[in-house]
Amino acid sequence: PSRAGNRATMRPALACTLLLTIASALRPPPRKRCINPSRTALQALPQQQVGLAAARIRFAAQWPLYATIPLCAGLFNALTNKLAVTMMFFPIRRRGLKLLGWQGVVPKAARRMGGDVSDLLTKDLLNVTEVLRRVDPETLSQRLCTPALVELGKRLVKDEVELAAPLVTPDLVKRVIQRCVARVQDDVDAFVD
């Protein structure tokens, strides 16, 4: 957040303050009680209409002030809604200290939400066996045995073997990789058939 960002968040508050100042300047000066025409007008009305008539007279005298209420409320409502939505999605990575930090609600719960969505899709919405019946076996076999996927599998096996036993010789790693690739290809063919 830069100074420009801070200025942008301050603009709505300054605008609301300016509107209130203008409204208070437009309000007429208070009248003296002895020559207040509204008092005599209220005395001429029946008793049940006095409350409503008094409200109308007060509103007519101070309408600019009353007009600023929905404007300021709408302005602050829009500002807080924007802040809430921003805080839900940003920042993606946690910022701040251990206890005094913040991460967006959605990025923080992304793994759990992803797991919930995949469970919902596979258990309730999609029938996995029906989807697999619609897939062409030859196309699936060709796409699962592409050179790029084979290379990826080789790299993964090599990394896992080196992590598990750092003293393993390179020849042994190559043999393990070849056996893993051959077994996966056989399993893919058997699965597709």
Side-chain angles (χ1 to χ4, degrees):
S2 64
R3 282 189 165 180
N6 289 339
R7 281 189 216 131
T9 57
M10 293 297 292
R11 283 185 188 148
L14 291 173
C16 189
T17 306
L18 182 63
L19 284 173
L20 287 173
T21 306
I22 291 170
S24 64
L26 292 174
R27 185 172 41 181
R31 299 178 189 163
K32 294 183 181 177
R33 284 191 178 268
C34 61
I35 58 168
N36 189 348
S38 63
R39 183 60 92 186
T40 57
L42 288 176
Q43 291 170 352
L45 292 173
Q47 187 64 28
Q48 62 266 35
Q49 293 182 357
V50 170
L52 184 59
R56 282 184 188 149
I57 291 170
R58 278 195 309 264
F59 180 78
Q62 299 179 355
W63 72 267
L65 181 65
Y66 292 125
T68 59
I69 292 172
L71 293 175
C72 290
L75 189 69
F76 284 120
N77 187 21
L79 183 67
T80 56
N81 286 349
K82 182 179 181 342
L83 179 66
V85 170
T86 302
M87 288 178 72
M88 281 180 61
F89 293 101
F90 297 102
I92 294 174
R93 296 193 199 300
R94 185 172 174 82
R95 290 186 183 171
L97 304 173
K98 288 187 177 185
L99 294 175
L100 299 173
W102 178 256
Q103 181 180 12
V105 175
V106 172
K108 187 175 185 178
R111 286 192 178 184
R112 181 182 53 82
M113 289 169 38
D116 291 347
V117 167
S118 68
D119 290 345
L120 176 73
L121 284 174
T122 56
K123 289 179 183 173
D124 297 335
L125 298 177
L126 292 177
N127 186 351
V128 177
T129 55
E130 183 64 31
V131 171
L132 288 177
R133 278 189 206 141
R134 292 182 180 194
V135 174
D136 181 34
E138 290 299 321
T139 307
L140 180 64
S141 176
Q142 289 172 357
R143 291 200 177 171
L144 288 177
C145 294
T146 60
L149 280 178
V150 171
E151 286 302 314
L152 177 65
K154 286 180 181 180
R155 279 198 318 255
L156 289 174
V157 169
K158 181 180 177 186
D159 292 345
E160 289 299 319
V161 169
E162 288 175 353
L163 284 175
L167 301 177
V168 175
T169 63
D171 290 336
L172 183 60
V173 171
K174 286 180 184 176
R175 280 188 276 156
V176 168
I177 290 173
Q178 288 171 353
R179 286 184 182 171
C180 287
V181 168
R183 185 165 182 188
V184 167
Q185 286 177 340
D186 292 341
D187 288 347
V188 165
D189 292 336
F191 175 74
V192 169
D193 292 338

